[in-house]
C-alpha cells in the first residue's frame, strides 16, 4: 500500500514509508512475492476486519486515510500466514483501492486477483467469490492505465470484448487463475470475474453474492445487446439465462427486503431481455408480496402489470400499474415512480404523452435526492433511473412537433435535452464538480456558425440544428431518420472508432461515409466556406471524431468546415474574439514512470512538444514558461506565480473509468482531475477562466456512454473555456507536428477552431504517415471555438 500512499500523500496529508508496501508484496497473483518475513495471521485478519468494517460505511468521505495506515503491519516471523488470512487481507486491500478516489485501479485488480488465486488454491470458496465479485466491479469501471500515448494496443468494442471471454478455454474461474489475464482488463475481465463469483458463491452458500453477480452479468449483456443489432438476440438470451440463475439464489437470501429487491431486479432483467418464457415469474412476484414493505409491494405490482400485459390483459395491467404507483408514492424516496409512469405509458398508448411527461415531472422532483450510485449494484443512478425517462420525454415532444406546434415542441425538446445532458455530466462527475453555466443562446451565433444536436432514440435518429446570422435564430427539426436507430448507429460508430484508433485497417472508411450521410448531409447546405459546425453529441457519438467523416467525393468533413464539440449547450459558448493567447505554461513528462495507477512508458517527444508550444519562428514567445518532467508542486507554483491563459500538458492522461479516477501523470505521481480543477481555480483568482487546456496524450473508452463523457467532462470539470485533447493514443511525431502548426496559427490570430483545422489540413496535405487519420483525427476541440 505504501506505493499508493506515496503517490497520494499530498492528498491525504500524511507521509508514507519509502519501502514497498506489504500489500504490494503479499497480494500478487503469483503468490508471496519476495517476502522473507510475514505479519502474524491474526494481525492480518484483524486489519482486514477493521478495514472491511470501515469500508462498509460508504459515505461522502473518502476512506483512504482511515483505512490505509491500518493495513501496514509489522512482521512477526518467517512463517507464511494461512491462505485464509492472506485472502481476507488482500481482499480488503483491493476493496480500498477500488472504492477510494485515492486508490489505484490497477492495484485494486492486482490485489483482488491475488486474493482470488490464494483463496482458490486453498479451496476457500467464500473468500474466492468475494474477491472475484469485487474484481468484476472494478473492471466494469474501465481499463487500468499502462501507458496511454503512442502505444497502439488492440482496440475492441464491447461486443468483441465480451465474446473474447467466451472463446477462451475453460470456465470463468479457470480464466482468472491465469495470471497474465489481468492485463486484458475491462469487459473481458468483468465477464469472467462475475461468472466466477457466481460459481464460487453458490458453492459457498453465499446466495446474495451469487444473485448480485448474475444480476450484473445480465445487465451487462443487456447493455451490449442495446448497442449491437446483429448480436442483440444472443446477448438478450444470455442475459435472461444469467438472470434466471440469479433468481434461484435470490430466493434463498435471508434478509427479506434484500431478497425482494434482488428478485425484482432479476425478474425485470428477464422481462427486459424479451427472450424465453415468463409465465413462471408469477411465483416470483407472489414471493415478493410476502414482504410487507411499500417498496417490495410496489415492485411486485409493477412486475405483475408487465406479466398481465405480456398475456394480453391490458385492463388488468393498467389496474396493477396504478396500484404500483400508489404504493411507490408512499415511500420516503419514490425512486421508481418515474419508471412506473413510463410503464403505464406503454400500457396506455392513447395517453402516452401525458404519462411520459408525468414521469419526467416525477424525475425532476426526486433527481436531487437520488444517490449518485445505487447501493446494491453500484450502477449509477442515472443509468438506472434517469436515462430512459429523459429519452422518452424527448421522444414524445418531438413526435408531436408538426404543424403549428412545431416551434414550441422543438423548443421544449431542446430544453429537456439540455437538462438530460447536464444531469448526465453531474452523474459522471458529481454535481459539486460541475460548475453551473447558462446555455448558449442561438441568437448569439454568427453567420456560418451551425449548431447540431443529434438525438439517438431507439427507433430513429433525430437532428435539431440552428444556423447563426439569420436573425431570430432558433432550433429546427429535420425529418426523422427511421432507418437509423440508436443501436444501429452505435454499431457504426464502434466500427469507425475501433478501426481508426487501432490504425490497422480501413474499416472506418465505409462507416465514416455512412455516418456522414446520416449526420452531416442533412445540414450540408449550411456548411459554406469558412463555416463552423459545433456538435452536441449523444451517446456513442461522443467518441466519434467528426472531422474524419467522408462525403461522397471522399473529402473529410474537416476539409469542408471547422469542427468543435461540447457535452451540453451550457458548455458550448462560442468564446470571445479577443481571447488572451500569449501567457502560456507548457509542462511535459518524458521519463518512464511506474505508479500505483500503472506503468507509463517513456515519452520521446513531449519535451520538444512543450518547447514548440512556447516558440514561434524559432524564438521563445514572451510570457511563456516550460517545465520539463514536472511534478504537482511545479504546476502549483507556476500557476500561483503567474496568470496563465493557455495550459499545455504533454504527458500521459486517462479519462476511462470512474470520473474521480481521471488523471494526468506527473513525475513520480498522478494528478487527479479534481486536483487539477483546484489548482486552476487558484489561477482564476488572478484573472479570468483558463482560455485553453491542451491535453495531448489522452485515451477514452469505446462503447461506454458514461466513460466517453470523460474527455468532454474534463474540460468542464477543470473550468477551462476550451480544451484540445486526443481521443486515442497518437505518435509523438504526429502530435508534435500538429501542435507546432496549431500554436503558430493560433498566435497569428486564428481562432482555436481555425488553427486546429488548418493544422489538421497541413498533415493531410503532407501525405505519408502524417496524413493517416489515426494521427490527425484523434485531436478534437471541446467548448469555445473562437
Amino acid at each position: 500500500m505504501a506505493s499508493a500512499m506515496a503517490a497520494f500523500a499530498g492528498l491525504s496529508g500524511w507521509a508514507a514509508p519509502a519501502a514497498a508496501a506489504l500489500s504490494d508484496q503479499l497480494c500478487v497473483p503469483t503468490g508471496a512475492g519476495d517476502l522473507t518475513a510475514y505479519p502474524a495471521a491474526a494481525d492480518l485478519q484483524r486489519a482486514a476486519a477493521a478495514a472491511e468494517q470501515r469500508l462498509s460505511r460508504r459515505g461522502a468521505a473518502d476512506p483512504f486515510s482511515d483505512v490505509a495506515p491500518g493495513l501496514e503491519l509489522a512482521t512477526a516471523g518467517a512463517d507464511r500466514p494461512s491462505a485464509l488470512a492472506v485472502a481476507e487481507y488482500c481482499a480488503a486491500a483491493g476493496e480500498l483501492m477500488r472504492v477510494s478516489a485515492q486508490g489505484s485501479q490497477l492495484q485494486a485488480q492486482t490485489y483482488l486477483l491475488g486474493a482470488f488465486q490464494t483463496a482458490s488454491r486453498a479451496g476457500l470458496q467464500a473468500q474466492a467469490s468475494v474477491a472475484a465479485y469485487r474484481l468484476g466491479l472494478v473492471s466494469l469501471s474501465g481499463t487500468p492505465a499502462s501507458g496511454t500515448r503512442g502505444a497502439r494496443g488492440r482496440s475492441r468494442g464491447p461486443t468483441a470484448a465480451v465474446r473474447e471471454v467466451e472463446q477462451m478455454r475453460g470456465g470463468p474461474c479457470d480464466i482468472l487463475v491465469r495470471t497474465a489475464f489481468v492485463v486484458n482488463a475491462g469487459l473481458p475481465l468483468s465477464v469472467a470475474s462475475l461468472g466466477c463469483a457466481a460459481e464460487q458463491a453458490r458453492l459457498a452458500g453465499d446466495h446474495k453474492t451469487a444473485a448480485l453477480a448474475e444480476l450484473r452479468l445480465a445487465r451487462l449483456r443487456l447493455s451490449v445487446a442495446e448497442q449491437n443489432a446483429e448480436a442483440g438476440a444472443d446477448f438478450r438470451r444470455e442475459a435472461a439465462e444469467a438472470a434466471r440463475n440469479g433468481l434461484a439464489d435470490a430466493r434463498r437470501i435471508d434478509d427479506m427486503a434484500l431478497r425482494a429487491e434482488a428478485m425484482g431486479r432479476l425478474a425485470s432483467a428477464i422481462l427486459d431481455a424479451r427472450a424465453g418464457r415468463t409465465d413462471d415469474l408469477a411465483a416470483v412476484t407472489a414471493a415478493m408480496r410476502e414482504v410487507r414493505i411499500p417498496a417490495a409491494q410496489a415492485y411486485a405490482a409493477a412486475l405483475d402489470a408487465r406479466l398481465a400485459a405480456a398475456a394480453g390483459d391490458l385492463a388488468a395491467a393498467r389496474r396493477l400499474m396504478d396500484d404500483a404507483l400508489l404504493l411507490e408514492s408512499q415511500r420516503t424516496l419514490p425512486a421508481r415512480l418515474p419508471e412506473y409512469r413510463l410503464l403505464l405509458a406503454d400500457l396506455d398508448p392513447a395517453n402516452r404523452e401525458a404519462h411520459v411527461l408525468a414521469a419526467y415531472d416525477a424525475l425532476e422532483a426526486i433527481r436531487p435526492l437520488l444517490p449518485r450510485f445505487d447501493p446494491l449494484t453500484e450502477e449509477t443512478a442515472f443509468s438506472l433511473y434517469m436515462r430512459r425517462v429523459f429519452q422518452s420525454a424527448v421522444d414524445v415532444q418531438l413526435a408531436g412537433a408538426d404543424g403549428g406546434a412545431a416551434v414550441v415542441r422543438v423548443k421544449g425538446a431542446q430544453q429537456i435535452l439540455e437538462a438530460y445532458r447536464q444531469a448526465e455530466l453531474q452523474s459522471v462527475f458529481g454535481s459539486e464538480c460541475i460548475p453551473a453555466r447558462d446555455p448558449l443562446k442561438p441568437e448569439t451565433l454568427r453567420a456560418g456558425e451551425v449548431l447540431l444536436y443529434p438525438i439517438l432514440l431507439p427507433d430513429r435518429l433525430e437532428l435539431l440544428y440552428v444556423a447563426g446570422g439569420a436573425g431570430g435564430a432558433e432550433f429546427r427539426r429535420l425529418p426523422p431518420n427511421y432507418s437509423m436507430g440508436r443501436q444501429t448507429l452505435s454499431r457504426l460508430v464502434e466500427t469507425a472508432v475501433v478501426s481508426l484508433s487501432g490504425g490497422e485497417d480501413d474499416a472506418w472508411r465505409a462507416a465514416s461515409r455512412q455516418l456522414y450521410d446520416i449526420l452531416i448531409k442533412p445540414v450540408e447546405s449550411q456548411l459554406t466556406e469558412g463555416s463552423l459546425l459545433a456538435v452536441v453529441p449523444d451517446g456513442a457519438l461522443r467518441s466519434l471524431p467528426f472531422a474524419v467523416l467522408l462525403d461522397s467525393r471522399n473529402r473529410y468533413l474537416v476539409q469542408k468546415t471547422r469542427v468543435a464539440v461540447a457535452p451540453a449547450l451550457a458548455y458550448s459558448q462560442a468564446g470571445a474574439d479577443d481571447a488572451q493567447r500569449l501567457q502560456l505554461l507548457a509542462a511535459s513528462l518524458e521519463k518512464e514512470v511506474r505508479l500505483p495507477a500503472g506503468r507509463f512508458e517513456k515519452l520521446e517527444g513531449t519535451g520538444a512538444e512543450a518547447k514548440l508550444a512556447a516558440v514561434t519562428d524559432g524564438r521563445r514567445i514572451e510570457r511563456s514558461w516550460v517545465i520539463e518532467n514536472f511534478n504537482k508542486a511545479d504546476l502549483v507554483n507556476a500557476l500561483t506565480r503567474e496568470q496563465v491563459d493557455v495550459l499545455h500538458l504533454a504527458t500521459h492522461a486517462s479519462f476511462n473509468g470512474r470520473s474521480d479516477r481521471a488523471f494526468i501523470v506527473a513525475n513520480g505521481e498522478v494528478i487527479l482531475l479534481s486536483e487539477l480543477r483546484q489548482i486552476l481555480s487558484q489561477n482564476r483568482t488572478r484573472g479570468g477562466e483558463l482560455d485553453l487546456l491542451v491535453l495531448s496524450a489522452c485515451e477514452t473508452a469505446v462503447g461506454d456512454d458514461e466513460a466517453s463523457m470523460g474527455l468532454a467532462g474534463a474540460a468542464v470539470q477543470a473550468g477551462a473555456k476550451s480544451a484540445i485533447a486526443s481521443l486515442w493514443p497518437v505518435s509523438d511525431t504526429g502530435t508534435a507536428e500538429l501542435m507546432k502548426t496549431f500554436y503558430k496559427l493560433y498566435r497569428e490570430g486564428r481562432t482555436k477552431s481555425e488553427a486546429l483545422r488548418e493544422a489538421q489540413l497541413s498533415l493531410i496535405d503532407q501525405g505519408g504517415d502524417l496524413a493517416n487519420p489515426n494521427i490527425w483525427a484523434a485531436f478534437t476541440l471541446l467548448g469555445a471555438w473562437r
Side-chain angles (χ1 to χ4, degrees):
M1 195 79 48
S3 57
M5 293 175 185
F8 299 107
L11 286 173
S12 52
W14 51 271
L22 172 63
S23 49
D24 283 339
Q25 299 180 74
L26 186 63
C27 303
V28 293
T30 52
D34 298 326
L35 283 173
T36 56
Y38 299 90
D43 291 341
L44 286 173
Q45 289 184 288
R46 274 194 295 270
E52 295 284 5
Q53 185 179 31
R54 171 61 183 87
L55 292 170
S56 68
R57 303 194 306 271
R58 296 284 291 275
D62 193 306
F64 193 89
S65 59
D66 292 340
V67 177
L71 292 174
E72 286 303 311
L73 302 173
T75 57
D79 293 335
R80 180 175 171 82
S82 67
L84 176 63
V86 173
E88 289 180 347
Y89 173 86
C90 294
E95 182 71 347
L96 174 62
M97 290 290 101
R98 185 181 78 82
V99 303
S100 171
Q102 299 179 48
S104 157
Q105 190 177 29
L106 181 62
Q107 278 190 317
Q109 291 184 337
T110 301
Y111 296 171
L112 290 168
L113 187 61
F116 167 79
Q117 292 187 354
T118 298
S120 180
R121 284 192 293 266
L124 301 170
Q125 294 157 342
Q127 289 72 27
S129 69
V130 170
Y133 181 67
R134 291 173 174 178
L135 184 59
L137 294 185
V138 70
S139 301
L140 278 174
S141 66
T143 303
S146 58
T148 61
R149 177 163 172 170
R152 294 185 185 179
R154 184 165 60 94
S155 300
R156 296 167 300 178
T159 306
V162 173
R163 288 300 185 224
E164 177 180 309
V165 175
E166 296 165 355
Q167 293 167 3
M168 294 179 178
R169 290 183 299 171
C173 292
D174 296 327
I175 293 171
L176 293 192
V177 170
R178 300 170 192 166
T179 304
F181 188 74
V182 73
V183 303
N184 292 324
L187 275 179
L189 188 56
S190 293
V191 172
S193 299
L194 293 172
C196 178
E199 283 185 11
Q200 293 292 300
R202 214 165 272 131
L203 292 171
D206 181 356
H207 302 295
K208 173 186 172 182
T209 298
L212 293 181
E214 296 285 15
L215 174 60
R216 289 307 305 264
L217 267 177
R219 290 187 57 79
L220 188 154
R221 291 183 182 280
L222 286 173
S223 176
V224 176
E226 285 186 7
Q227 301 176 52
N228 189 332
E230 297 171 4
D234 289 340
F235 278 103
R236 285 194 297 272
R237 185 181 63 255
E238 292 160 6
E241 181 181 349
R244 287 191 179 280
N245 291 338
L247 265 179
D249 293 293
R251 292 173 186 270
R252 302 174 69 181
I253 294 174
D254 292 331
D255 183 285
M256 289 192 301
L258 178 59
R259 180 171 68 242
E261 181 68 20
M263 290 173 67
R265 295 200 191 192
L266 288 159
S268 294
I270 293 171
L271 289 168
D272 291 341
R274 305 186 306 278
R277 57 192 290 260
T278 59
D279 55 302
D280 57 329
L281 296 183
V284 174
T285 61
M288 292 171 64
R289 288 181 184 276
E290 294 175 4
V291 181
R292 299 296 179 181
I293 58 175
Q297 295 287 303
Y299 209 168
L303 289 168
D304 278 334
R306 296 182 68 180
L307 292 173
D313 191 347
L314 292 182
R318 287 192 289 267
R319 185 178 66 255
L320 286 162
M321 195 58 71
D322 285 337
D323 291 344
L325 287 165
L326 179 61
L327 290 164
E328 183 70 13
S329 64
Q330 296 172 16
R331 298 179 62 193
T332 304
L333 178 57
R336 288 198 170 93
L337 204 59
E339 175 189 344
Y340 296 163
R341 290 200 175 278
L342 280 189
L343 290 170
L344 186 57
D346 295 335
L347 300 173
D348 185 16
N351 297 297
R352 172 176 169 75
E353 180 174 335
H355 295 310
V356 168
L357 295 180
Y360 178 70
D361 290 341
L363 175 61
E364 288 298 280
I366 65 170
R367 185 155 63 93
L369 305 175
L370 291 172
R372 189 173 163 202
F373 296 101
D374 177 66
L376 184 61
T377 63
E378 300 191 32
E379 295 166 278
T380 64
F382 185 88
S383 64
L384 282 177
Y385 300 115
M386 300 186 201
R387 178 180 284 118
R388 185 164 173 255
V389 177
F390 277 117
Q391 290 174 345
S392 298
V394 171
D395 184 3
V396 298
Q397 282 283 14
L398 292 176
D402 298 317
V407 173
V408 174
R409 289 283 196 151
V410 169
K411 184 176 181 180
Q414 192 278 315
Q415 290 172 343
I416 294 172
L417 276 169
E418 188 61 18
Y420 179 9
R421 297 289 180 267
Q422 295 207 44
E424 193 166 17
L425 274 171
Q426 290 172 352
S427 169
V428 174
F429 288 93
S431 58
E432 71 281 359
C433 299
I434 301 298
R437 295 184 184 178
D438 294 327
L440 177 143
K441 294 181 173 58
E443 58 268 23
T444 64
L445 293 174
R446 296 176 181 169
E449 293 180 340
V450 179
L451 189 66
L452 180 64
Y453 224 130
I455 308 161
L456 309 187
L457 296 173
D459 65 334
R460 68 190 188 278
L461 168 70
E462 293 269 6
L463 295 175
L464 305 184
Y465 82 97
V466 59
E474 59 188 23
F475 277 96
R476 300 180 181 181
R477 179 196 184 203
L478 291 164
N481 184 346
Y482 286 96
S483 69
M484 186 62 55
R486 180 171 58 236
Q487 193 179 61
T488 307
L489 195 141
S490 297
R491 183 64 169 162
L492 270 178
V493 172
E494 181 183 319
T495 299
V497 174
V498 168
S499 174
L500 280 165
S501 59
E504 299 169 352
D505 58 53
D506 286 335
W508 63 271
R509 286 188 174 275
S512 178
R513 288 193 191 96
Q514 280 187 269
L515 288 165
Y516 183 97
D517 290 341
I518 295 163
L519 298 167
I520 306 302
K521 195 167 185 178
V523 296
E524 193 176 43
S525 62
Q526 304 291 331
L527 304 178
T528 56
E529 184 69 27
S531 63
L532 171 123
L533 179 66
V535 185
V536 182
D538 183 18
L541 293 175
R542 296 189 191 104
S543 60
L544 179 67
F546 285 85
V548 80
L549 300 188
L550 287 167
D551 67 11
S552 59
R553 294 187 294 164
N554 279 335
R555 295 179 69 240
Y556 297 116
L557 179 61
V558 72
Q559 294 174 307
K560 187 186 297 286
T561 185
R562 294 171 284 148
V563 181
V565 298
L569 282 187
Y571 309 103
S572 59
Q573 304 298 336
D577 290 316
D578 58 350
Q580 297 296 313
R581 304 174 181 184
L582 298 181
Q583 299 197 164
L584 175 143
L585 172 64
S588 66
L589 179 71
E590 285 200 333
K591 61 192 297 184
E592 178 182 352
V593 179
R594 292 177 179 267
L595 297 170
R599 181 182 67 84
F600 300 90
E601 301 167 357
K602 181 178 181 180
L603 297 172
E604 300 290 349
T606 50
E609 177 190 324
K611 292 172 184 174
L612 282 173
V615 171
T616 297
D617 294 331
R619 298 177 58 188
R620 178 78 166 266
I621 63 170
E622 296 182 14
R623 314 299 296 167
S624 67
W625 303 271
V626 176
I627 310 172
E628 297 181 349
N629 289 322
F630 75 102
N631 58 33
K632 183 171 68 176
D634 294 332
L635 204 59
V636 170
N637 291 337
L639 289 167
T640 302
R641 184 178 63 248
E642 303 287 349
Q643 201 221 299
V644 172
D645 303 302
V646 178
L647 175 61
H648 184 110
L649 298 173
T651 180
H652 295 293
S654 178
F655 301 123
N656 282 345
R658 281 173 32 184
S659 62
D660 54 7
R661 294 273 175 80
F663 61 83
I664 60 173
V665 180
N667 188 1
E669 58 192 331
V670 300
I671 300 176
L672 297 174
L673 197 59
S674 56
E675 287 187 282
L676 182 60
R677 182 183 74 253
Q678 294 169 3
I679 295 169
L680 292 175
S681 68
Q682 296 170 5
N683 179 63
R684 287 200 297 274
T685 63
R686 307 176 60 86
E689 288 181 299
L690 184 72
D691 188 55
L692 177 61
L693 172 65
V694 178
L695 299 162
S696 66
C698 309
E699 67 169 350
T700 55
V702 178
D704 184 332
D705 287 358
E706 290 183 8
S708 63
M709 288 288 286
L711 184 56
V716 173
Q717 192 179 2
K721 293 179 181 176
S722 309
I724 290 177
S726 54
L727 292 168
W728 55 76
V730 178
S731 70
D732 295 331
T733 302
T735 300
E737 282 295 319
L738 185 135
M739 289 299 168
K740 176 182 177 181
T741 305
F742 169 79
Y743 278 113
K744 179 178 184 297
L745 296 170
Y746 188 47
R747 292 199 188 92
E748 289 176 355
R750 307 289 206 286
T751 65
K752 302 178 190 78
S753 56
E754 289 171 339
L756 179 60
R757 176 182 181 244
E758 291 182 42
Q760 290 174 318
L761 293 177
S762 174
L763 295 187
I764 295 170
D765 292 343
Q766 286 184 47
D769 291 342
L770 293 180
N772 190 325
N774 171 267
I775 293 175
W776 59 263
F779 293 94
T780 188
L781 172 65
L782 303 116
W785 55 81
R786 292 179 190 159

